[in-house]
Every structure is written in structure tokens, then in C-alpha cells.
């Protein structure tokens, strides 16, 4: 991509020969990158491709083992975040670096207070905040507590923080993971505004749609290496996906049409409060039929996790009831997860590290968790290690878990393979009802294709599947009906034909049908 | 009426004196914990400082030399805690407990080696101690009704560490709330990642907090052996460092409420001492043990979340690990 005699200003960022190794893992190998000043440049790649490592090197979180960094044509040595800030680089992290108990103003000031006492810096920062808000359309109340703000606004605070420090190069690491589609559009508007003012934006993402929507150029990473640079206008999603994975992939698994059968699970008026008395679920009712996938969409933290907890028996029902066949579960008649399992309810938890697996345990032990009284573990009180290993090897073969080593600790597998192991454990029980939370979070495209195919096979075989996901693409690709949650309520249920991104977005934001002008 | 007023003032005066080591240690704990470092070792630092103050004052004849030694020893222990917890990301409670044990044993061993009096230091002469300071005009104003005795009995006549303890409260409140250092310190205790990504060093900020805690604990030790007492006695801190921790939690890690908690604890202790052997109407002999128990019951009730929640700094006790 280098054109040595090109006219105009030097690139905002030029990286050459960047390598970084963590123990046995080569996270970046001889990476080169050139980002034109005043452009929006995307870096795309699967999880573990080395994108985050690369920008962490640029922002001074890691030091490269080898390589050269140039900022605006000048060689730069970046050993710490302070160095990066000094070079006009700002970063909006995937997980916000904000102090929740501080106000917006205090968060923006932190590290750039302007003197030993706060009073003067406070006044100056406030004036500067108002100016930046007006210039870039980043309205936010300087005196609001950050912990009280919705994530979309918290993200704005992060951007303001970077701009306040004079950032001319803004790195955003997976910025849309927590946003609704409409909030994402707002963010992209802001990024275009920044570009207009001459700010260079580096957007790290694994979502093809975002690259196509907002970037000028895109660089693709795979397994620690930079494999291609493209003008966004001159490429396609399919082209990029192939570059990311290294082979042709189906971005959308062919649909399987089935006629929904009998109601397998019915929830009526579920209201649930957490230990602090905050209502996390409010009168949630739904029906789940055999041979259908019911998608539950929503920004994370709007009650989806609690719904899964109740339906899987992890938390007890407080108000309302759940009916599975003849069994009615309510406050007076609770059911624990093992009873749920016995009734044919399998659960693939949202957080596989905390609930799906015991990371320090071997794969073969993880492969029977929850079913450890079953035949796979042997009889009586002693584990039959041979049987465990054989059972796990079978699961690994059927679900293409790599490396296929039953004795390897769960923590030794990649995210995609961990997820396949959890799915294998649950699906192999041939459940009547499958509850799935975020099945492809942190999972690479190749494995996504595989997981989606297995879920559709389950549906075809007549299972009732409840799919909770924050990835709208996933919900749209798999679901027959879509329930949208906001603030603990189901705001509406749409069939797939009715569900446009815009309609879903309105429901996710809590605007009900008919209210939208 | 005047008698009663003077009696009340004397109780308050005693409360303030008994609260002094609590205030200093609680402020120390507050600074350390608001930066995210648990400090169970308040007790040990205070005890070691008390020994150093008395020993050096006894050897040199100067309370000021004793104070310098006390501050030095307490800061050294604080740095040891920092080295274990900040640099090496050790378990903070264990490190604090180790410092307490080290101080408890070390002071006695050093005391026997130096003075051969069973772990005590020799009694300190008047010139080797901090004496009560008569504030100007205390005598002259004493006859003015109400305010006179207040000034003479309560405000005047304390030793230097008592005044420093009271001064430390607005000072710490100002430091945390109004200065850049305070903002960074509080951010470190809540969200160290934010501090790091702002280009600041979490370790440097935490070390500074820990050193401030050391200085304050050192002053508490000075008070015990060379101002309130006249010499070091083994285990003379008698759990005050832990009571200070309770006061810090009771005051929800905020300077003025913590100060109030310390005064309350000091008052209850004074009241219990005064009521020893007194028979109260209806109740009979004063339940002294019960009165002494009140602060702890109150702390447990508070921690259980019955009235208002005490929310500790979010990153409290969590070592900060920066990937490299």
C-alpha cells in the first residue's frame, strides 16, 4: 500500500515491522500499517488476531519486541500511556476506563488537572468540555455521576477525555459492543464529525458491517499478521471475511424452516428483584414452542441474564410462574437446576468462564459438569476416568473441538473451542428445551458458522430454543420470533419478517409500537 | 450549673485525648484505603513508632529526636507493606498481619536488648516528653462564663500530637477533595485502570498514600509513649489500631464522619471509665463492659447494612497488575 512519492502530509501513524510475543504466543508478527491523516481507518480481524495487541502497543500499554512507530512522519518512542498522550494519541477502550463514582468533569480532568489544586482546572475543564461538546455534538452533563449514565453516554465521556488531552489520533477498540444500533449510528456520526475536524480515527472491530459503514480504508489481521489493506469502497464483506478467516465462509447459514409445535415452556408474569431490591425483571411472559428459536434481543444488562437465570433454575421464581409440561414452578414450588436438567432443560450460560466451565479442570471433567451423576462418569461414588475420557473424546470429535485432548485444562482452549465444548455437553443430552446465552461471544467466524449450524439442527430435530444474544445479526439470522427486552420488560415480540433493525432498535430503547413518530 | 459544665468539658477533654490515636490511625487507614491498599497494620506501625519514640527520647533526652525516629520507623514499615502489596502484589491483609506480629515481637526484643527492663523503656523525664501546651490567655479567660472554661479545659492544655491529630482531619479532607493528588488517589482506589490509561503511575500514587499512612501512624505512636504516657510498655497500643479501622469503616471512609466516629468511640471509653463502680438509678451498677462494647456492635450493624451502606473503595485490596 505504500506509495513513496505520494503528495500530501505524512501518514498520521506508520508502523513498521512490529512484533510482540507473549510467552509461546506470537501476538504480532512483523506488522506494518499506515493510517492517512484525517481518515477513518478500520482494523478488522477475528478474536485473537492481534488487533488489540497492536493498538495497545500504539497506546503504550505494551512495548513491542521489535519494530518502529512513526507519528506524523516522526519516529516516536512510546513506552507508556503518558508517552502516547504526549504524541496526541487517545484511546477509547472496549471496557471503559472511567471512575464510576466520579462526575463526568472529574473523569475528564483526571491526569490533566492543570496544577496542584483542582479549583482552577475544574473551571477550565468545564469551559473546554462545553466547547468540545458543541464542536463535535458530544452533549453530556459535566456534573452527572458517570456510574449513573447509560453506556452510550459513558462512551462519549471517554471520547471527550481523549479530546481534552489534545488527541489528534483517536483509537476505538470494539466501541459498538455495548450500543444499540441507533447508538451505533450516533457514534458513527460523531466519528465523521471528528474526521471533518481533521482527527484521525482508528477503529478496531470484528464486525464487517461497521467497517463497511464508516471507514475509508481497512486493514485485515489474521493470526498476528497483517494480511491485507483495502480501500473500503473497493471491497466487499465477503472479500474481507475470507481474508479474516483464510478460507471462504458462509456469513449466513442457510435457514431451516420448521412448523412450530406444542408449547414446551411458558413463563407468566415473571417479576424478579435482586438482593438490593431492584426489579430486574418486570412481568415477563413468553411462550417457547418446539421446533422454534425464540431470539431475545436487547442491550446487555436489560434483564436477559436474569431471565436465563430464572428459566434455568439458578435463581428462584419470586412472582409469576414457569410451566414446563405439567410442572408449574413458582415461589411455593421451586425447581433447582438439576431438576430443570432432569426435565430436559439444558443451559449454555452467557459467561462460559464463570458458569459454563471450571477453567482449571480438564476438558473431560468439564464435559460432564451438571451431568456427573449420569452414566458417563461411571457408577457409584468413583469416577471412571476411562469412561470420562471416551465420552469427552466423542464430544470433541462431533463438535470439532481443537485440540482434541480430553486431558487439557479448559483454560488451555481458545474461546471458540471452549464454547463448542460447553455446547457439546449440553446438546449431547438431547434436551427438549435449550437455553443459550451469547453463544458466539468471543468466538471466531469459523466457529460461529459451526455453532449456528448446530443450533439450527437442534431446532429441526424439534427442540425449543431460547437464544439470548446482544448481536443483532445473530438474532436476525437464527430466530423465528424475536422478543426485545428493555429495562427488565419484554417490549415487544416480532416475527422475523417484521423485525427490521430500526424497529428492533426502537424497542431496545424502550419506545413502543405506535409511540414512534 | 458551672460544676456540671466543667464536668462535661472534662469528659469531652478526656474523649479527645483517648480519641487522638484513633483519629491519627483512622486517617492513616483512610488515606491508604482510599488509594486501594488495605491497612490492617495500623496497630503494628503505631506500636513500633511508640517504642522508637520512647527509646530514642530516653537515649537522647529529646522528644523531637524520638518523634523523628518514630516517623522513620512507621514509614519504613509502611514501605515494607507497600513493597509486599504494591510492588509484589502480595495479599494485603496477610502483609498487615505480618507487620503487626513483627511490631509486637520486635519492640519487646529490642526493648529487652536495649534497656533490660522486661521490654519496657525507662520512664521518661519531663524534658523527654511532649508536655501539655497552655494556649495563650487560657488562665486570663478562664473566668468568662461558659466560653472561658471551654477554652481553658477543652481547647487549651493538650500535647502537640493531639493538636496535630485534630488538624489532620481538615488537612486530609482538603487533600482528598480539593487537590489533584487527592483526585488521583481516590481514582486509584476506585478504578486504577483509569489512572493508568490517563498516563499516571498507580504504584507511585499508592506508595505515596502508604507513606502518608505511615507518618500518621508514627504520630499516633509518639502520642502513646511520649505524650500521653511516659515511656513504652509492651503492647501499649492495646488494639487501638483495630478500633481505628472500625471507626474508619463506621465513618464510611470519609474524613469528617470518621473523625466523628473516633470522638464517639473516645467518648464511650471515657464514659465507661467514669462510670466504673457508679450505681445508676433504675439500672443499678453501670454496665461498663456493655458501654465499651457499643462501638463494635455499631460497626457490625453498619457493616451488615442496616442503616446506610458503607461502600468501600471498589479497588480496595485488589493489586494492580499491568501487563507488559
Amino acid at each position: 500500500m505504500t506509495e513513496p512519492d505520494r503528495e500530501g502530509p505524512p501518514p498520521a501513524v506508520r508502523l513498521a515491522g512490529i512484533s510482540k510475543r507473549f510467552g509461546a504466543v506470537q501476538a504480532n508478527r512483523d506488522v506494518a500499517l499506515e493510517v492517512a491523516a484525517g481518515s477513518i481507518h478500520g482494523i478488522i480481524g477475528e478474536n485473537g488476531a492481534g488487533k488489540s495487541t497492536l493498538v495497545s502497543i500504539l497506546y503504550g500499554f505494551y512495548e513491542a519486541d521489535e519494530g518502529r512507530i512513526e507519528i506524523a512522519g516522526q519516529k516516536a518512542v512510546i513506552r507508556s500511556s503518558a508517552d502516547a498522550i504526549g504524541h496526541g494519541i487517545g484511546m477509547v477502550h472496549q471496557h471503559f476506563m472511567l471512575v464510576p463514582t466520579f462526575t463526568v468533569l472529574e473523569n475528564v480532568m483526571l491526569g490533566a488537572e492543570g496544577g496542584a489544586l483542582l479549583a482552577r482546572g475544574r473551571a477550565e475543564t468545564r469551559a473546554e468540555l462545553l466547547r468540545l461538546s458543541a464542536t463535535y455534538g458530544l452533549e453530556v452533563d459535566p456534573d452527572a455521576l458517570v456510574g449513573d449514565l447509560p453506556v452510550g453516554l459513558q462512551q462519549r465521556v471517554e471520547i471527550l477525555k481523549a479530546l481534552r488531552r489534545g488527541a489528534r489520533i483517536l483509537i476505538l477498540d470494539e466501541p459498538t459492543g455495548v450500543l444499540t444500533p441507533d447508538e451505533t449510528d450516533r457514534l458513527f456520526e460523531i466519528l465523521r464529525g471528528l474526521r471533518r475536524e481533521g482527527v484521525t480515527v482508528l477503529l478496531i472491530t470484528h464486525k464487517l458491517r461497521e467497517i463497511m459503514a464508516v471507514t475509508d480504508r481497512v486493514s485485515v489481521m489474521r493470526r498476528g499478521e497483517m494480511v491485507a489493506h483495502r480501500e473500503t469502497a473497493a471491497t466487499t464483506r465477503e472479500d474481507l471475511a475470507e481474508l479474516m478467516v483464510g478460507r471462504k465462509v458462509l456469513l449466513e447459514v442457510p435457514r431451516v424452516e420448521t412448523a412450530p409445535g406444542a408449547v414446551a415452556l411458558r413463563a407468566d408474569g415473571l417479576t424478579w428483584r435482586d438482593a438490593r431490591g431492584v426489579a430486574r425483571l418486570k412481568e415477563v411472559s413468553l411462550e417457547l414452542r418446539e421446533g422454534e428459536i425464540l431470539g431475545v434481543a436487547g442491550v446487555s444488562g436489560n434483564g436477559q441474564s436474569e431471565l436465563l437465570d430464572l428459566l434455568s433454575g439458578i435463581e428462584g421464581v419470586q412472582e409469576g410462574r414457569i410451566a414446563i409440561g405439567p410442572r408449574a414452578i413458582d415461589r411455593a414450588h421451586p425447581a433447582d437446576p438439576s431438576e430443570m436438567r432432569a426435565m430436559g432443560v439444558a443451559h449454555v450460560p452467557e459467561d462460559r468462564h464463570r458458569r459454563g466451565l471450571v477453567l482449571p479442570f480438564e476438558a473431560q471433567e468439564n464435559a460432564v459438569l451438571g451431568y456427573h451423576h449420569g452414566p458417563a462418569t461411571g457408577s457409584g461414588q468413583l469416577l471412571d476416568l476411562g469412561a470420562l475420557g471416551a465420552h469427552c473424546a466423542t464430544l470433541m470429535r462431533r463438535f470439532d473441538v481443537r485440540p482434541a485432548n480430553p486431558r487439557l485444562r479448559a483454560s488451555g482452549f481458545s474461546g471458540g473451542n471452549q464454547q463448542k465444548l460447553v455446547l457439546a455437553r449440553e446438546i449431547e443430552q438431547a434436551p427438549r428445551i435449550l437455553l443459550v446465552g451469547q453463544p458466539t461471544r468471543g468466538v471466531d467466524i469459523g466457529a460461529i458458522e459451526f455453532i449456528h449450524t448446530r443450533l439450527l439442527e437442534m431446532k429441526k430435530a424439534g427442540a425449543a430454543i431460547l437464544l439470548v444474544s446482544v448481536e443483532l445479526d445473530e438474532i436476525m439470522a437464527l430466530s423465528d420470533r424475536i422478543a426485545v427486552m428493555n429495562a427488565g420488560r419484554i417490549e415487544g415480540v416480532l416475527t422475523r419478517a417484521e423485525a427490521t433493525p430500526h424497529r428492533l432498535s426502537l424497542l431496545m430503547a424502550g419506545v413502543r409500537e405506535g409511540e414512534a413518530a | 450549673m458551672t460544676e456540671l459544665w466543667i464536668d462535661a468539658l472534662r469528659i469531652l477533654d478526656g474523649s479527645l485525648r483517648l480519641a487522638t490515636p484513633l483519629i491519627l490511625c483512622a486517617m492513616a487507614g483512610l488515606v491508604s484505603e482510599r488509594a486501594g491498599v488495605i491497612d490492617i497494620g495500623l496497630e503494628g506501625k503505631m506500636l513500633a513508632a511508640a517504642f522508637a519514640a520512647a527509646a530514642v527520647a530516653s537515649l537522647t533526652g529529646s522528644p523531637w529526636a524520638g518523634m523523628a525516629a518514630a516517623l522513620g520507623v512507621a514509614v519504613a514499615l509502611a514501605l515494607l507493606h507497600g513493597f509486599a502489596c504494591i510492588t509484589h502484589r502480595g495479599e494485603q491483609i496477610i502483609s498487615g498481619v505480618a507487620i503487626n506480629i513483627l511490631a509486637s515481637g520486635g519492640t519487646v526484643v529490642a526493648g529487652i536488648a536495649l534497656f533490660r527492663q522486661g521490654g519496657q523503656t525507662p520512664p521518661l523525664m519531663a524534658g523527654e516528653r511532649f508536655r501539655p501546651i497552655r494556649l495563650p490567655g487560657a488562665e486570663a479567660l478562664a473566668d468568662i462564663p461558659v466560653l472561658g472554661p471551654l477554652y481553658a479545659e477543652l481547647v487549651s492544655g493538650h500535647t502537640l500530637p493531639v493538636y496535630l491529630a485534630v488538624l489532620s482531619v481538615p488537612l486530609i479532607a482538603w487533600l482528598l477533595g480539593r487537590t489533584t493528588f487527592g483526585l488521583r488517589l481516590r481514582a486509584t482506589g476506585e478504578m486504577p485502570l483509569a489512572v493508568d490509561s490517563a498516563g499516571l503511575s498507580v504504584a507511585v500514587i499508592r506508595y505515596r498514600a502508604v507513606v502518608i499512612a505511615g507518618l500518621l501512624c508514627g504520630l499516633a505512636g509518639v502520642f502513646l509513649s511520649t505524650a500521653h504516657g511516659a515511656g513504652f510498655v509492651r503492647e501499649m497500643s492495646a488494639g487501638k489500631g483495630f478500633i481505628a479501622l472500625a471507626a474508619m469503616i463506621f465513618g464510611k471512609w470519609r474524613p469528617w464522619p470518621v473523625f466523628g466516629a473516633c470522638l464517639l468511640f473516645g467518648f464511650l471509653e471515657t464514659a465507661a471509665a467514669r462510670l466504673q463502680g457508679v450505681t445508676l438509678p433504675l439500672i443499678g451498677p453501670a454496665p461498663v463492659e456493655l458501654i465499651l462494647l457499643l462501638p463494635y456492635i455499631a460497626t457490625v450493624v453498619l457493616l451488615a447494612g442496616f442503616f446506610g451502606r458503607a461502600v468501600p473503595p471498589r479497588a480496595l485490596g485488589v493489586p494492580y497488575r499491568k501487563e507488559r
Side-chain angles (χ1 to χ4, degrees):
Chain A
M1 69 172 272
T2 321
E3 301 151 64
D5 50 4
R6 188 176 47 191
E7 295 293 317
V13 178
R14 188 206 300 269
L15 303 177
I18 298 284
S19 292
K20 176 74 185 174
R21 175 183 281 279
F22 296 102
V25 181
Q26 185 82 45
N28 283 166
R29 189 196 308 273
D30 195 22
V31 171
L33 175 68
E34 213 169 278
V35 182
S39 71
I40 300 181
H41 193 114
I43 298 182
I44 194 162
E46 298 196 287
N47 290 287
K51 312 179 297 273
S52 286
T53 305
L54 188 68
V55 291
S56 295
I57 288 170
L58 187 55
Y59 193 63
F61 266 162
Y62 303 141
E63 258 182 274
D65 301 333
E66 285 170 59
R68 180 183 169 87
I69 302 175
E70 282 177 27
I71 305 296
Q74 301 290 313
K75 184 177 189 309
V77 179
I78 299 177
R79 290 228 171 79
S80 66
S81 308
D83 291 343
I85 293 166
H87 281 100
I89 301 171
M91 181 143 173
V92 175
H93 298 268
Q94 191 175 358
H95 305 288
F96 299 147
M97 302 284 175
L98 298 171
V99 185
T101 50
F102 280 14
T103 64
V104 170
L105 189 66
E106 287 171 327
N107 267 290
V108 172
M109 286 176 77
L110 185 65
E113 298 89 345
L117 297 184
L118 290 176
R120 213 186 64 204
R122 220 179 259 275
E124 278 173 13
T125 309
R126 182 182 298 274
E128 179 69 5
L129 258 185
L130 294 176
R131 193 187 69 75
L132 289 171
S133 298
T135 314
Y136 299 106
L138 289 158
E139 288 84 17
V140 56
D141 173 10
D143 299 311
L145 271 187
V146 162
D148 295 342
L149 296 178
V151 280
L153 284 182
Q154 293 194 9
Q155 192 171 56
R156 281 187 200 180
V157 178
E158 281 282 29
I159 296 174
L160 283 166
K161 246 170 80 176
L163 295 175
R164 164 67 179 145
R165 284 164 178 69
R168 301 301 293 160
I169 299 164
L170 188 65
I171 306 167
L172 295 108
D173 189 6
E174 301 281 1
T176 61
V178 292
L179 304 182
T180 66
D182 280 358
E183 281 176 321
T184 301
D185 290 344
R186 276 287 293 142
L187 173 69
F188 288 170
E189 268 317 302
I190 289 166
L191 296 185
R192 291 187 192 105
L194 289 168
R195 176 175 60 186
R196 236 182 346 264
E197 302 290 326
V199 176
T200 307
V201 177
L202 202 51
L203 176 70
I204 315 305
T205 182
H206 68 278
K207 294 183 186 169
L208 292 162
R209 198 159 34 85
E210 294 172 3
I211 291 289
M212 302 311 289
V214 76
T215 64
D216 302 311
R217 312 193 76 201
V218 52
S219 301
V220 185
M221 292 190 76
R222 184 170 75 228
R223 294 197 190 137
E225 297 185 52
M226 200 57 97
V227 291
H229 304 279
R230 294 280 189 274
E231 297 286 340
T232 307
T235 188
T236 61
R237 291 176 60 184
E238 287 71 19
D239 180 33
L240 291 176
E242 192 178 334
L243 286 168
M244 280 165 72
V245 183
R247 63 177 170 86
K248 282 227 176 290
V249 274
L250 289 171
L251 288 178
E252 267 148 45
V253 178
R255 301 197 54 82
V256 178
E257 299 299 338
T258 49
V263 173
L265 180 152
R266 184 198 307 272
D268 279 313
L270 293 177
T271 294
W272 190 83
R273 292 169 201 284
D274 64 14
R276 295 165 59 198
V278 179
R280 296 287 174 184
L281 289 179
K282 296 166 194 160
E283 291 169 31
V284 168
S285 300
L286 57 82
E287 259 183 19
L288 184 60
R289 291 175 175 274
E290 289 170 1
E292 77 159 355
I293 298 181
L294 174 64
V296 178
V299 177
S300 85
N302 276 287
Q304 302 97 311
S305 306
E306 290 78 4
L307 179 62
L308 282 177
D309 284 353
L310 284 191
L311 296 182
S312 61
I314 292 173
E315 295 288 353
V317 174
Q318 295 171 345
E319 284 172 46
R321 61 199 280 272
I322 300 169
I324 298 174
R327 172 77 160 95
I329 299 152
D330 56 24
R331 194 186 182 98
H333 308 90
D336 64 11
S338 55
E339 190 189 342
M340 287 294 197
R341 255 181 232 119
M343 286 190 291
V345 180
H347 179 208
V348 177
E350 290 183 296
D351 186 341
R352 59 176 167 269
H353 289 169
R354 281 184 53 226
R355 286 192 169 160
L357 297 165
V358 182
L359 289 177
F361 280 17
E362 292 171 0
Q364 61 182 17
E365 293 165 334
N366 273 294
V368 294
L369 285 183
Y371 304 101
H372 45 276
H373 295 300
T377 52
S379 54
Q381 293 302 309
L382 296 177
L383 292 176
D384 178 346
L385 291 182
L388 271 189
H391 173 67
C392 186
T394 310
L395 294 186
M396 288 176 143
R397 199 172 55 247
R398 288 199 193 144
F399 280 77
D400 190 31
V401 179
R402 281 179 267 180
N405 174 5
R407 302 300 304 267
L408 187 65
R409 288 174 174 204
S411 53
F413 293 88
S414 72
N417 284 301
Q418 290 175 344
Q419 189 70 338
K420 284 194 271 187
L421 187 61
V422 177
L423 273 163
R425 178 180 75 210
E426 302 299 331
I427 290 180
E428 283 299 297
Q429 300 295 324
R432 287 178 54 228
I433 299 167
L434 180 64
L435 311 171
V436 196
Q438 319 297 349
T440 57
R441 177 181 280 171
V443 168
D444 50 57
I445 294 191
I448 290 175
E449 182 189 354
F450 182 88
I451 290 169
H452 285 180
T453 309
R454 299 313 291 250
L455 289 177
L456 289 170
E457 282 171 16
M458 286 284 295
K459 165 180 132 167
K460 201 170 164 190
I465 302 178
L466 184 86
L467 168 72
V468 170
S469 176
V470 292
E471 300 279 353
L472 264 192
D473 290 345
E474 177 165 81
I475 295 273
M476 302 276 275
L478 297 179
S479 310
D480 301 292
R481 291 184 301 139
I482 301 170
V484 185
M485 292 195 73
N486 174 55
R489 283 181 204 285
I490 291 185
E491 296 284 353
V493 181
L494 306 176
T495 63
R496 194 182 65 254
E498 295 167 339
T500 61
H502 182 64
R503 281 184 84 176
L504 290 172
S505 209
L506 288 177
L507 289 173
M508 283 163 78
V511 183
R512 288 176 196 234
E513 296 290 293
E515 287 177 26
Chain B
M1 182 64 212
T2 318
E3 280 299 303
L4 202 62
W5 175 232
I6 289 187
D7 231 27
L9 284 176
R10 289 215 171 115
I11 290 182
L12 290 178
D13 182 71
S15 306
L16 180 61
R17 220 170 319 120
L18 286 179
T20 293
L22 302 183
I23 296 167
L24 287 165
C25 282
M27 289 299 140
L30 187 152
V31 171
S32 180
E33 301 213 342
R34 288 297 290 268
V37 182
I38 298 177
D39 201 349
I40 290 283
L42 298 171
E43 174 87 359
K45 289 199 282 279
M46 173 166 57
L47 186 66
F51 174 77
V56 171
S58 167
L59 293 173
T60 64
S62 159
W64 297 100
M67 182 191 268
L71 296 182
V73 164
V75 168
L77 287 177
L79 287 173
L80 181 66
H81 186 52
F83 186 65
C85 303
I86 303 168
T87 306
H88 290 292
R89 299 183 287 273
E91 173 56 50
Q92 301 178 356
I93 291 181
I94 303 292
S95 166
V97 169
I99 283 171
N100 288 337
I101 295 171
L102 181 69
S104 165
T107 50
V108 175
V109 170
I112 291 175
L114 283 173
F115 303 107
R116 311 200 175 283
Q117 295 185 5
Q120 303 191 5
T121 60
L124 297 176
M125 302 298 114
E128 297 166 349
R129 298 173 55 199
F130 288 98
R131 305 295 301 158
I133 301 168
R134 303 297 293 176
L135 291 182
E139 258 102 287
L141 299 175
D143 293 334
I144 298 174
V146 184
L147 288 182
L150 180 78
Y151 185 68
E153 293 287 335
L154 186 57
V155 179
S156 173
H158 291 289
T159 55
L160 179 68
V162 177
Y163 292 115
L164 291 178
V166 174
L167 270 181
S168 76
V169 180
L171 193 71
I172 298 290
W174 175 80
L175 191 72
L176 290 182
R178 299 295 170 87
T179 69
T180 293
F181 173 69
L183 183 79
R184 293 176 175 183
L185 187 147
R186 286 184 285 130
T188 305
E190 294 285 341
M191 181 82 190
L193 266 172
V195 175
D196 196 353
S197 77
L200 306 167
S201 165
V202 171
V204 167
I205 294 170
R206 287 193 167 163
Y207 264 109
R208 286 185 185 158
V210 163
V211 166
I212 292 174
L215 289 171
L216 290 164
C217 286
L219 272 180
V222 168
F223 172 80
L224 287 186
S225 68
T226 62
H228 187 63
F232 177 82
V233 184
R234 59 157 70 187
E235 302 296 347
M236 77 184 304
S237 51
K240 289 194 169 61
F242 295 104
I243 302 175
L245 274 182
M248 177 191 74
I249 295 166
F250 196 74
K252 302 180 182 180
W253 287 269
R254 287 177 301 168
W256 289 107
V258 168
F259 178 61
C262 290
L263 288 181
L264 175 69
F265 288 14
F267 171 76
L268 290 172
E269 220 179 312
T270 313
R274 287 228 156 195
L275 290 172
Q276 199 92 51
V278 175
T279 305
L280 297 174
L282 293 180
I283 303 173
V288 172
E289 291 79 7
L290 198 64
I291 295 172
L292 284 175
L293 206 55
L294 282 179
Y296 308 104
I297 294 174
T299 305
V300 169
V301 168
L302 179 85
L303 281 178
F306 284 116
F307 53 95
R309 269 192 84 77
V311 183
R314 281 175 204 224
L316 184 58
V318 185
Y320 183 66
R321 183 181 298 273
K322 181 167 172 155
E323 304 282 338
R324 263 288 139 204

